[in-house]
Amino acid sequence: IEAFCSAWSITHEATLLVSSGRGAAILAAAAEGKIGPRAVGAAAAAGDPSALALLERAGTALGAGLANFINIFNPEIIVLGGGVSEIGAPLLDPVRRAIDAFAMPVMRKDVRLLPSSLGLKTGIYGAAALVFHENHP
């Protein structure tokens, strides 16, 4: 999943699009020329086909991974956090479609997909919790 929908992966794919001449909208959306998930999300929100295709691929990969998680663990809630999740609908709509396509209906029917209230700090809090848990069993 990391290889398709992490910030570094989306940045890498967007950089390839820009260097191939198919990412003009991504480059135009990049603040101070910094290509990354935020620029891809802005270009996708404006309807750019290249950015939308990149996020469709990333969202489908994430949704397929989450569908497997749903099929195995049957969670009630899945919380998505971090900067990439803030892209919104251009990424999350493909996630939902992939969950619908790949998760067993009986397992997915009650699952809620929610944004993290921690925003960009999700990873930091998760890492801190892991360190605390390992040092204080």
Side-chain angles (χ1 to χ4, degrees):
I1 295 171
E2 180 85 7
F4 288 96
C5 50
S6 64
W8 69 263
S9 173
I10 290 172
T11 299
H12 176 73
E13 292 294 319
T15 302
L16 290 175
L17 283 170
V18 168
S19 66
S20 74
R22 295 178 292 147
I26 295 170
L27 184 59
E32 299 174 11
K34 185 173 181 184
I35 298 168
R38 189 173 305 228
V40 174
D48 177 62
S50 295
L52 286 166
L54 190 161
L55 294 177
E56 179 75 29
R57 188 171 50 253
T60 299
L62 179 56
L66 291 175
N68 285 309
F69 182 83
I70 290 166
N71 290 338
I72 295 168
F73 296 107
N74 193 21
E76 292 179 25
I77 298 172
I78 295 175
V79 179
L80 297 176
V84 172
S85 67
E86 293 182 348
I87 291 173
L91 177 70
L92 298 180
D93 290 347
V95 169
R96 289 184 181 94
R97 286 193 296 274
I99 289 172
D100 287 345
F102 300 121
M104 292 182 282
V106 70
M107 302 297 263
R108 74 169 186 258
K109 69 181 179 72
D110 294 325
V111 176
R112 293 182 301 153
L113 194 61
L114 301 174
S116 171
S117 61
L118 300 175
L120 295 174
K121 296 179 182 177
T122 301
I124 294 168
Y125 284 116
L130 182 62
V131 168
F132 181 80
H133 178 71
E134 286 184 4
N135 292 319
H136 300 87

Coordinates of all heavy atoms in Angstrom, one line a residue, residues 1 5 58-73 78 95 98-99 102:
I1 N 0.8 -1.2 0.0 CA 0.0 0.0 0.0 C 0.9 1.2 0.0 O 0.6 2.2 -0.7 CB -1.0 0.0 1.2 CG1 -1.9 -1.2 1.1 CG2 -1.7 1.3 1.3 CD1 -2.8 -1.4 2.3
C5 N 0.2 4.7 -2.3 CA -0.6 5.8 -1.7 C 0.1 6.6 -0.6 O -0.6 7.4 0.1 CB -1.9 5.4 -1.3 SG -2.0 3.9 -0.3
A58 N -4.0 5.4 -6.6 CA -3.6 5.4 -5.1 C -4.8 5.0 -4.3 O -4.7 4.2 -3.4 CB -3.0 6.8 -4.7
G59 N -5.9 5.6 -4.5 CA -7.1 5.3 -3.7 C -7.6 3.9 -3.9 O -8.0 3.3 -2.9
T60 N -7.5 3.4 -5.1 CA -7.9 2.0 -5.3 C -6.9 1.0 -4.5 O -7.4 0.0 -3.9 CB -7.9 1.6 -6.8 OG1 -8.8 2.5 -7.5 CG2 -8.2 0.2 -7.1
A61 N -5.7 1.3 -4.5 CA -4.7 0.5 -3.8 C -5.0 0.6 -2.3 O -5.0 -0.5 -1.6 CB -3.3 0.9 -4.0
L62 N -5.3 1.7 -1.8 CA -5.6 1.9 -0.4 C -6.9 1.2 0.0 O -7.0 0.5 1.0 CB -5.7 3.4 0.0 CG -6.0 3.7 1.5 CD1 -5.1 3.0 2.4 CD2 -6.1 5.2 1.7
G63 N -7.9 1.3 -0.9 CA -9.2 0.7 -0.7 C -9.1 -0.8 -0.7 O -9.7 -1.5 0.1
A64 N -8.3 -1.4 -1.6 CA -8.1 -2.8 -1.7 C -7.4 -3.3 -0.4 O -7.8 -4.3 0.2 CB -7.3 -3.2 -2.9
G65 N -6.4 -2.6 0.1 CA -5.8 -2.9 1.4 C -6.8 -2.9 2.5 O -6.8 -3.8 3.4
L66 N -7.6 -1.8 2.6 CA -8.5 -1.7 3.6 C -9.6 -2.8 3.6 O -10.1 -3.2 4.6 CB -9.2 -0.3 3.6 CG -8.2 0.9 4.0 CD1 -8.9 2.2 3.9 CD2 -7.7 0.7 5.4
A67 N -10.0 -3.1 2.3 CA -11.0 -4.2 2.2 C -10.4 -5.5 2.7 O -11.2 -6.2 3.4 CB -11.3 -4.4 0.7
N68 N -9.2 -5.8 2.5 CA -8.6 -7.0 3.2 C -8.6 -6.9 4.7 O -8.9 -7.9 5.4 CB -7.2 -7.2 2.7 CG -7.1 -7.8 1.3 OD1 -7.8 -8.7 1.0 ND2 -6.4 -7.1 0.4
F69 N -8.3 -5.7 5.2 CA -8.4 -5.5 6.6 C -9.8 -5.7 7.2 O -10.0 -6.4 8.2 CB -7.9 -4.1 6.9 CG -7.8 -3.7 8.4 CD1 -6.7 -4.1 9.2 CD2 -8.9 -3.0 9.0 CE1 -6.7 -3.8 10.5 CE2 -8.8 -2.7 10.3 CZ -7.8 -3.1 11.1
I70 N -10.8 -5.2 6.4 CA -12.2 -5.4 6.8 C -12.6 -6.8 6.8 O -13.2 -7.3 7.7 CB -13.1 -4.5 5.9 CG1 -12.9 -3.0 6.1 CG2 -14.5 -4.9 6.0 CD1 -13.4 -2.1 5.0
N71 N -12.1 -7.5 5.8 CA -12.5 -9.0 5.6 C -11.9 -9.8 6.8 O -12.5 -10.8 7.2 CB -12.1 -9.5 4.3 CG -12.9 -9.0 3.2 OD1 -14.0 -8.5 3.3 ND2 -12.3 -9.0 2.0
I72 N -10.7 -9.4 7.3 CA -10.1 -10.2 8.3 C -10.5 -9.8 9.7 O -10.8 -10.6 10.5 CB -8.5 -10.0 8.2 CG1 -8.0 -10.6 6.9 CG2 -7.8 -10.6 9.4 CD1 -6.6 -10.2 6.6
F73 N -10.6 -8.5 10.0 CA -10.9 -8.0 11.3 C -12.3 -7.5 11.6 O -12.6 -7.3 12.8 CB -9.9 -6.9 11.7 CG -8.5 -7.4 11.7 CD1 -7.6 -7.0 10.7 CD2 -8.0 -8.2 12.7 CE1 -6.3 -7.5 10.7 CE2 -6.7 -8.7 12.7 CZ -5.8 -8.3 11.7
I78 N -12.9 2.8 10.6 CA -11.5 2.9 10.1 C -11.2 4.4 10.1 O -12.0 5.2 9.5 CB -11.3 2.3 8.7 CG1 -11.5 0.8 8.8 CG2 -9.9 2.6 8.2 CD1 -11.5 0.1 7.5
V95 N -11.2 5.1 -2.8 CA -11.0 4.2 -1.7 C -12.4 3.5 -1.4 O -12.4 2.3 -1.2 CB -10.5 5.0 -0.4 CG1 -10.7 4.1 0.9 CG2 -9.1 5.5 -0.6
A98 N -13.3 0.9 -4.0 CA -12.5 -0.3 -3.9 C -13.0 -1.1 -2.7 O -13.0 -2.4 -2.8 CB -11.0 0.0 -3.8
I99 N -13.3 -0.5 -1.6 CA -13.8 -1.2 -0.5 C -15.1 -1.9 -0.9 O -15.3 -3.1 -0.6 CB -14.1 -0.3 0.7 CG1 -12.7 0.1 1.3 CG2 -14.9 -1.0 1.8 CD1 -12.8 1.2 2.4
F102 N -14.1 -4.9 -3.1 CA -13.3 -6.0 -2.6 C -13.6 -6.6 -1.3 O -13.2 -7.7 -0.9 CB -11.8 -5.6 -2.6 CG -11.3 -5.2 -4.0 CD1 -10.8 -4.0 -4.3 CD2 -11.3 -6.1 -5.1 CE1 -10.3 -3.6 -5.5 CE2 -10.9 -5.8 -6.3 CZ -10.4 -4.5 -6.5

